[in-house]
Amino acid sequence: MIELNRLRTTVKYFQVDGAIIGNGSQDFTKDYKTYSLNINGEAAQLVDIPGIEGKEEYFKDIISRALGKAHLVCYVARESKGLEESTLAKVNDYLRKNVTEVIGIHNIPLQPQKEYEGDNYVKDITEKVSKAAKNNVNIEEKLRCVVKNDLYKNTFGVAVLPGLCALAMNRGVTTFENPMLHQDNEAVCDSLKTLRRQQSSFLSRATEMELLQVSRLADLRNYIIHNCESAPSRIKKAALVRLKSTLESEYIATIRNQKNVIDNFRSQVNQRAGSYISNLEQAAYRIKRNLPSAAQNAVFDFYRIDVLEGIIYPHIERNKKIVDDELEYTMNNHKSDLQVRFQNRVSKAMEEAINDFSARVQSYTDEYVRGMKLDIGNLSMELPSISVDSFNMGTLGNVAFTIGGYVMSGIAIGTAFPVIGNIVGGIVGAVVGVLVSIFSFFESDASKIRKCKKKAADAVEDSARDAWYEMSGKINSHAESLASCLDANIADAKYQIESAIKSYELVQSLEKKMLLITEEIQKNINQIKVA
């Protein structure tokens, strides 16, 4: 009787309204209800949520929120109905992020109207409950498969109906509500009628205490009360476990995923920027080599084509020798024309080399910027996103314009050219000086012309070499200036490599900090002792 009174003291906080228990016409709880309890002076709440074996799709959010706040989850199942794979999948989905202890309650069906073997009714139903309780292991094994870690604590086989019928008696009077109070709700009215009929049938064959013992509700009650008595430390531990689980499953998992994303991005930037830097360095090397080479070739072409072949050779062929006054007169007469041709040849050669350099660099830059924007755009970021601006891409688009400025006004190409009067005088002096003593009285005109042309060609080549030597310093300096235009782009590309590395290091540092936090939480969890 003491145990019966204790259980009555506990159960009086439950509304025995018969809305669900009774004739079994309802498949699952159709509402979200909370019941305030006072267990040994501790305030507690029992939350009854819709089941997950019926049409619970309208209550998914309610179920998830309730499970997220609970400190003990009681999953009620009927062994006769079994736990189907679809039901287990739902349990797994709901408890996927759960860090709360779970117990299974095996509701053993026991109807008073059934015929039982033997003459001892109480002994007979006790044996049937004990036999059915052995099937707890079937429910437990299945639930342990979907409840993670060590959170599944126990399975209780209880015959709820006879225990409820025993508890719903007070001094020989039923505490089930009068069905006539619920005539507007046929289902509740029928359930209460069935409960009263079943209660009467049970109590006609066994006492309240016997029914209570058969039900095994005391075992479940004792576990729940023990759980509530250790609630403060249990709640604190559950909250820490939930926090740690949230950090690991959401924040740290996200950070690690982003770390991998940024690591791949870092590798792409390193490869792309490295290739870009290599291409620019090659372009700088080429312009420092090609620009002087192009200018030198143009100088020698001018001396060979415009001076030697255009003026001196015709003079030799016409006179069969060098007539110094006439040659000097002819050269001076063509001075303005020669000046224009000289500058045009050298300028054109230099501009072609510079334009090729500019086009190459712009192509490299366009490809790099396009690739970088694509890489950044493809980043799947859940952390603060990386933008193109973070990588200082804006300064890379004007390479051709910058280089073009050198073509138009960089060093004023004309200042690099020797004064044409000096060229004319040098050529005439060199040619006349080498041709004075080369002729023999007995040589043919053709031989004289051939020898004269050979000596003239050598002399003109020497003059071309002298002219190039005079202007090569400025041309080389111009080539160096053009190459230095790429220094800023190379520095930007290196900065982008460093930015990608720093982005990775920041996420890596964040991961380490979060791991340290979870380690500290775990230490606190380990220090909490739950009886």
Side-chain angles (χ1 to χ4, degrees):
M1 286 301 295
I2 293 175
E3 187 66 24
L4 179 62
N5 288 333
R6 284 180 180 173
L7 281 172
R8 279 210 183 100
T9 301
T10 301
V11 84
K12 71 180 181 180
Y13 294 98
F14 293 81
Q15 298 176 5
V16 187
D17 56 15
I20 298 300
I21 302 175
N23 59 15
S25 61
Q26 284 76 34
D27 183 44
F28 64 99
T29 303
K30 293 185 177 181
D31 201 359
Y32 174 98
K33 293 184 178 180
T34 59
Y35 303 94
S36 297
L37 306 175
N38 188 308
I39 302 176
N40 293 344
E42 293 286 348
Q45 269 194 340
L46 174 69
V47 181
D48 186 15
I49 60 176
I52 62 172
E53 297 180 21
K55 300 176 181 178
E56 81 283 358
E57 57 268 17
Y58 299 110
F59 305 98
K60 283 185 177 181
D61 290 341
I62 291 175
I63 295 172
S64 296
R65 286 199 300 271
L67 290 174
K69 296 178 180 179
H71 301 107
L72 177 66
V73 175
C74 303
Y75 181 81
V76 182
R78 285 184 295 171
E79 197 280 331
S80 60
K81 188 173 183 179
L83 287 173
E84 300 173 352
E85 291 301 320
S86 59
T87 300
L88 287 172
K90 291 180 181 179
V91 173
N92 180 57
D93 184 57
Y94 280 119
L95 298 182
R96 182 167 47 89
K97 296 182 179 180
N98 182 60
V99 293
T100 306
E101 292 182 356
V102 178
I103 63 170
I105 299 177
H106 170 198
N107 185 13
I108 300 171
L110 192 65
Q111 300 292 331
Q113 298 90 342
K114 300 287 184 181
E115 293 183 2
Y116 293 90
E117 299 174 358
D119 298 326
N120 191 327
Y121 176 73
V122 174
K123 180 181 178 181
D124 192 29
I125 61 176
T126 300
E127 289 177 353
K128 288 188 177 293
V129 170
S130 298
K131 183 178 180 181
K134 293 179 180 178
N135 292 325
N136 288 355
V137 67
N138 296 333
I139 294 174
E140 182 168 328
E141 285 178 353
K142 291 183 177 181
L143 287 176
R144 284 191 183 277
C145 292
V146 294
V147 178
K148 63 182 180 180
N149 301 327
D150 59 344
L151 295 176
Y152 192 86
K153 296 301 180 182
N154 210 337
T155 306
F156 295 90
V158 293
V160 175
L161 185 58
L164 183 64
C165 288
L167 291 170
M169 291 292 294
N170 186 14
R171 298 179 180 180
V173 179
T174 182
T175 58
F176 286 129
E177 289 185 349
N178 188 335
M180 303 308 295
L181 297 176
H182 297 277
Q183 293 186 68
D184 57 338
N185 189 328
E186 183 178 353
V188 173
C189 183
D190 290 345
S191 292
L192 287 169
K193 287 179 181 179
T194 300
L195 282 171
R196 287 186 165 217
R197 186 168 57 252
Q198 291 172 327
Q199 184 183 47
S200 177
S201 179
F202 271 127
L203 291 174
S204 68
R205 307 174 73 177
T207 66
E208 295 173 30
M209 191 62 189
E210 288 172 334
L211 291 176
L212 190 61
Q213 289 174 339
V214 168
S215 72
R216 300 189 176 190
L217 283 176
D219 294 338
L220 178 60
R221 167 193 175 275
N222 291 338
Y223 182 88
I224 293 175
I225 288 179
H226 172 73
N227 187 282
C228 291
E229 288 173 345
S230 60
S233 58
R234 189 181 299 276
I235 290 171
K236 182 179 179 181
K237 184 173 183 178
L240 289 174
V241 170
R242 182 178 286 113
L243 174 60
K244 180 173 179 284
S245 176
T246 300
L247 289 176
E248 290 174 338
S249 63
E250 296 183 8
Y251 291 94
I252 294 179
T254 299
I255 290 169
R256 282 179 174 164
N257 178 61
Q258 295 310 301
K259 186 180 74 168
N260 292 334
V261 170
I262 294 177
D263 190 27
N264 290 333
F265 175 69
R266 176 183 62 167
S267 177
Q268 290 173 335
V269 171
N270 188 62
Q271 181 177 356
R272 194 180 296 281
S275 177
Y276 178 55
I277 290 170
S278 177
N279 286 336
L280 293 185
E281 290 174 342
Q282 285 292 321
Y285 170 78
R286 287 172 63 91
I287 193 62
K288 287 190 288 187
R289 181 193 64 186
N290 290 352
L291 184 64
S293 177
Q296 184 180 21
N297 289 338
V299 169
F300 278 78
D301 285 347
F302 167 76
Y303 274 84
R304 178 176 56 83
I305 298 171
D306 296 301
V307 176
L308 187 64
E309 295 176 0
I311 296 176
I312 297 176
Y313 281 178
H315 174 81
I316 293 172
E317 289 172 354
R318 185 171 58 252
N319 296 292
K320 310 299 186 294
K321 61 178 181 177
I322 294 292
V323 179
D324 53 351
D325 292 340
E326 181 183 337
L327 177 59
E328 185 174 0
Y329 174 80
T330 303
M331 292 285 288
N332 284 324
N333 211 29
H334 288 81
K335 184 186 295 185
S336 297
D337 180 54
L338 289 173
Q339 181 76 39
V340 172
R341 290 190 182 188
F342 183 76
Q343 290 192 4
N344 285 347
R345 279 191 180 278
V346 178
S347 296
K348 182 179 180 182
M350 290 179 65
E351 288 180 8
E352 287 177 354
I354 292 172
N355 288 337
D356 176 71
F357 168 69
S358 176
R360 284 177 183 273
V361 172
Q362 192 63 54
S363 175
Y364 297 148
T365 301
D366 289 345
E367 181 182 0
Y368 175 63
V369 172
R370 184 169 52 250
M372 282 290 291
K373 288 182 177 179
L374 183 64
D375 290 342
I376 293 172
N378 288 337
L379 277 175
S380 175
M381 298 296 293
E382 296 178 32
L383 300 174
S385 61
I386 296 174
S387 68
V388 175
D389 294 337
S390 303
F391 283 83
N392 195 24
M393 302 297 291
T395 61
L396 295 176
N398 300 320
V399 180
F401 176 79
T402 302
I403 295 171
Y406 278 85
V407 175
M408 300 303 296
S409 61
I411 63 165
I413 292 174
T415 64
F417 301 149
V419 177
I420 197 66
N422 296 338
I423 294 176
V424 171
I427 293 173
V428 172
V431 172
V432 172
V434 299
L435 295 180
V436 171
S437 59
I438 66 169
F439 299 121
S440 169
F441 179 77
F442 298 103
E443 284 185 300
S444 64
D445 289 343
S447 177
K448 291 178 182 179
I449 292 173
R450 186 171 59 254
K451 284 184 178 183
C452 194
K453 284 184 176 181
K454 175 66 173 61
K455 292 293 183 179
D458 292 341
V460 168
E461 185 175 344
D462 289 339
S463 295
R465 192 174 293 108
D466 292 340
W468 170 244
Y469 177 79
E470 182 180 341
M471 63 187 297
S472 61
K474 291 184 178 180
I475 301 298
N476 287 329
S477 176
H478 187 47
E480 291 286 347
S481 297
L482 285 169
S484 67
C485 291
L486 305 184
D487 292 345
N489 288 54
I490 291 174
D492 283 343
K494 289 180 178 178
Y495 168 79
Q496 284 143 21
I497 293 175
E498 292 172 2
S499 296
I501 292 173
K502 287 180 180 178
S503 297
Y504 177 80
E505 289 174 347
L506 284 172
V507 178
Q508 190 177 45
S509 174
L510 180 59
E511 179 193 26
K512 289 180 180 178
K513 290 178 181 178
M514 297 298 288
L515 289 174
L516 288 174
I517 291 173
T518 58
E519 289 175 6
E520 193 63 30
I521 292 173
Q522 186 60 54
K523 289 179 183 178
N524 291 330
I525 292 172
N526 295 339
Q527 291 172 358
I528 298 174
K529 304 299 180 184
V530 179

